[in-house]
Amino acid sequence: MRRFHLAVLAAVTLSAGLTAVPAHATPESPSAPANCTATACHFDVPPGTYDVRVLLGGETASSTSIGGEARRALLPETAVAAGERAARSFTVNVRTPEGEPTGADGVAGLDLVLGGTAPALADIRVTPARHTRQIFLVGDSTVCDQPGDPYYGWGQQLPQYLRKGTSVVNYADSGESTVTYLENPKLWATVQPQIRRGDLVLVQLAHNDKTTDEATYRANLESLVDGVRAEGGRPVLVTPVVRRWFNADGTLNNGTALLVNGLGVDHPAVIRSVAADRDVPLIDLTAKTKALVESLGVEASKALYLYNEKRDNTHTSVRGATAYAELVRDELVAQHLVPEGRVRVG
């Protein structure tokens, strides 16, 4: 993770009341105020969901973003004029493992990193969240909290677009198919019991179903839909992001790009069919990412993926993951799956 120079942190002093409220504490009994350095903050809290309120700004003009845990984007860059302050809040999921569910445990507690062109943090407060709506993500490496640069999943970038009261619980995992996701006890068997009534569960699994026949693929999607509904949750099927694989005419109209596997199974088509048959909301990310990639063309679209770094036309860069997260955000709002007041736009 890149290092940041903090322009102004003078306001973060003992008298400023920099506090964290652990799950067992109350606002009247905060933990010790020494929670932040010039570039990061750490709070010794158990796994759970937490509201974070920050006060941004300093004596000079500032511009601050906040990331945390497994390289998640939690607050977009926010500019504040010299001498002014801006309050912002977001809700964050703290879990173990903190990133991919089959990966390393990570660091216990809540870790936040200050970014932006001129970061300035005046105050921060962490409290246990109540009445939070959860958005679970079930997916593969194009969705997950990727552990290291230059890789990013769109689920890793989605939290920054959600305001306080909605948290992203990203259980996407690299290399998973519908078959392995249902079989692995660290995946679906761990996600399902956590689903509460009204929670959204976004399912995007296709890239690794390379040898899954159509009947099995359809049955697996239906099993996930039924499992979400059994807990009172709301399933949302998401067609997979395209691979950047152009035809000679500058289009992506081929099986590699559009996720048709070696058995001829058209994954996006099956997902659309299951969504229609089971009356499940559909985010057609295949169609939307196809339109975006084709609009950029062969050269400019390289920046969305890791072509320049790895000759990789499947996994996204931070730019691509951010652009694709914005497409998902827009669909959540357009389909009234998340109230507009809970979403950051623009």
Side-chain angles (χ1 to χ4, degrees):
M1 185 174 290
R2 60 195 177 103
R3 297 178 180 272
F4 302 105
H5 172 67
L6 188 62
V8 178
L9 196 60
V12 182
T13 64
L14 294 180
S15 61
L18 181 64
T19 59
V21 182
H24 60 273
T26 67
E28 289 71 37
S29 59
S31 63
N35 298 101
C36 293
T37 66
T39 59
C41 302
H42 175 78
F43 300 92
D44 288 323
V45 295
T49 306
Y50 296 90
D51 291 331
V52 180
R53 182 186 184 278
V54 294
L55 193 64
L56 305 177
E59 296 309 307
T60 60
S62 63
S63 188
T64 309
S65 63
I66 297 178
E69 293 297 273
R71 302 172 64 241
R72 304 177 212 159
L74 299 173
L75 187 71
E77 190 158 353
T78 303
V80 182
E84 296 186 3
R85 300 291 187 269
R88 297 289 186 272
S89 297
F90 56 89
T91 300
V92 60
N93 172 255
V94 176
R95 61 183 182 271
T96 302
E98 67 180 12
E100 293 185 87
T102 62
D105 283 354
V107 179
L110 171 61
D111 287 280
L112 303 173
V113 176
L114 305 176
T117 56
L121 178 65
D123 192 22
I124 183 168
R125 189 172 183 82
V126 176
T127 56
R130 294 177 174 84
H131 311 298
T132 298
R133 183 61 55 83
Q134 301 177 105
I135 300 178
F136 287 91
L137 303 182
V138 169
D140 53 35
S141 59
T142 65
V143 186
C144 75
D145 289 344
Q146 287 281 358
D149 284 330
Y151 294 89
Y152 289 84
W154 63 255
Q156 207 161 16
Q157 298 300 103
L158 185 61
Q160 65 185 311
Y161 298 119
L162 299 170
R163 299 182 187 274
K164 176 184 173 183
T166 303
S167 70
V168 174
V169 188
N170 192 349
Y171 271 84
D173 195 69
S174 293
E176 305 299 342
S177 66
T178 58
V179 175
T180 61
Y181 204 94
L182 286 165
E183 290 177 344
N184 192 327
K186 293 183 177 180
L187 300 173
W188 182 238
T190 299
V191 173
Q192 188 178 10
Q194 299 182 60
I195 300 170
R196 301 192 301 252
R197 182 165 298 278
D199 286 343
L200 292 179
V201 182
L202 276 58
V203 178
Q204 186 216 281
L205 287 167
H207 277 87
N208 300 301
D209 280 279
K210 298 174 183 177
T211 60
T212 309
D213 63 77
E214 183 169 338
T216 301
Y217 185 64
R218 178 181 293 272
N220 289 343
L221 292 175
E222 291 173 342
S223 179
L224 289 165
V225 167
D226 292 344
V228 173
R229 286 176 167 166
E231 304 300 329
R234 296 188 293 164
V236 180
L237 291 177
V238 183
T239 59
V241 300
V242 296
R243 295 189 179 99
R244 184 191 159 277
W245 203 272
F246 282 92
N247 293 324
D249 63 359
T251 68
L252 299 179
N253 293 317
N254 58 76
T256 300
L258 301 183
L259 283 298
V260 178
N261 75 8
L263 300 178
V265 179
D266 185 331
H267 292 107
V270 176
I271 295 168
R272 295 176 188 123
S273 175
V274 172
D277 292 346
R278 292 300 185 98
D279 193 25
V280 177
L282 173 74
I283 296 178
D284 198 340
L285 204 52
T286 304
K288 291 186 175 298
T289 55
K290 178 179 185 292
L292 177 57
V293 171
E294 287 181 343
S295 71
L296 291 173
V298 174
E299 290 303 316
S301 64
K302 290 177 179 178
L304 298 178
Y305 291 83
L306 297 177
Y307 180 86
N308 295 323
E309 299 87 349
K310 303 285 186 178
R311 293 297 188 268
D312 186 334
N313 290 308
T314 298
H315 297 97
T316 47
S317 65
V318 64
R319 178 177 170 183
T322 302
Y324 293 174
E326 290 175 350
L327 294 175
V328 173
R329 172 203 61 187
D330 292 346
E331 281 298 295
L332 292 174
V333 173
Q335 298 190 41
H336 306 291
L337 296 169
V338 176
E340 287 189 43
R342 293 282 184 94
V343 178
R344 291 188 176 91
V345 295

